Amino acid sequence: MTSFAAGRMLLTPTDRHGPARVRRLRKLDLVERPDATFDSFDAFADKVADATAAPFSMVNFIDENRQFFAGLHTPAGNRNGRDLGATAAGSSRSGRYMARDHGYCPHVLVRRKALVLEDVCDYPRFAGNPVVDEIGVRSYLGAPLIDRTGIALGTVCAVDTVPRPWGRAGLDTIKSLARELVRQIDHREAPHPL
């Protein structure tokens, strides 16, 4: 998908698997709901922030048109946000959306590989993303959530407002956290009879 924001072209990768992912998210009952169902994802976002020493982290499910932060960690611990998380995700649990062409998670989702951007400004393809100017993101570390059926449901990520030397250790950490969360998601499904 190619779109424009503030006069600049955004290169969001084409996602041919959006409809299958949405069906899978619905089957797993992971579409957005205004109740406490997502508290475990908020707790997991807290775990990601602790493991990466990042001020912001998210568990992000992505449909064909937008991103939904099912899990959100901000420095103040405010899930409804008054800071970067608020700008990215809206002002309430039901407002935890971000346009699909904002941020780096859609790239991780389509690539099906972890992405490390120690300083997003070092990468012309990513430096012009709206999250840089509008939200202040300067570094990103994310991995896809690929479930047992092979569908990439979303991402788990950590971000910072300053450049970060995530390095190989950061990459290994985010990939391990993604695998852990996928195991938890897979357990949501009842076992199939033989």
Side-chain angles (χ1 to χ4, degrees):
M1 170 195 302
T2 302
S3 59
F4 293 85
R8 63 185 165 210
M9 186 170 62
L10 303 174
L11 300 174
T12 303
T14 301
D15 178 15
R16 296 172 288 140
H17 303 287
R21 179 174 36 267
V22 171
R23 285 191 300 273
R24 184 76 177 132
L25 289 170
R26 284 192 178 119
K27 182 175 182 179
L28 292 168
D29 203 18
L30 293 175
V31 291
E32 187 239 344
R33 295 185 313 222
D35 58 22
T37 303
F38 291 104
D39 287 348
S40 65
F41 292 117
D42 282 337
F44 198 86
D46 292 341
K47 181 176 184 168
V48 172
D50 288 342
T52 61
F56 303 94
S57 63
M58 297 92 163
V59 172
N60 188 7
F61 296 121
I62 302 172
D63 68 20
E64 304 101 314
N65 303 308
R66 61 187 177 177
Q67 304 175 62
F68 170 61
F69 300 117
L72 178 64
H73 172 90
T74 66
N78 183 343
R79 305 291 182 204
N80 296 325
R82 298 269 185 261
D83 47 25
L84 177 92
T87 306
S91 61
S92 69
R93 181 174 296 281
S94 62
R96 290 184 179 205
Y97 294 105
M98 188 163 67
R100 195 171 181 285
D101 62 358
H102 283 51
Y104 310 108
C105 290
H107 295 272
V108 171
L109 187 78
V110 171
R111 290 169 26 124
R112 299 172 59 89
K113 293 182 181 178
L115 178 63
V116 178
L117 301 171
E118 294 184 345
D119 185 344
V120 299
C121 294
D122 289 343
Y123 304 89
R125 178 176 185 175
F126 298 119
N129 195 288
V131 297
V132 176
D133 294 333
E134 294 173 16
I135 302 174
V137 172
R138 281 297 297 276
S139 59
Y140 173 90
L141 177 66
L145 299 170
I146 300 173
D147 79 349
R148 66 177 184 76
T149 69
I151 294 177
L153 302 172
T155 63
V156 61
C157 69
V159 298
D160 207 332
T161 57
V162 297
R164 290 280 303 269
W166 302 108
R168 183 68 192 184
L171 179 63
D172 291 343
T173 297
I174 202 70
K175 287 165 72 175
S176 175
L177 288 163
R179 286 189 300 270
E180 179 182 339
L181 185 54
V182 166
R183 284 191 299 271
Q184 291 178 22
I185 291 169
D186 284 343
H187 287 306
R188 295 173 69 95
E189 223 170 1
H192 296 282
L194 295 174

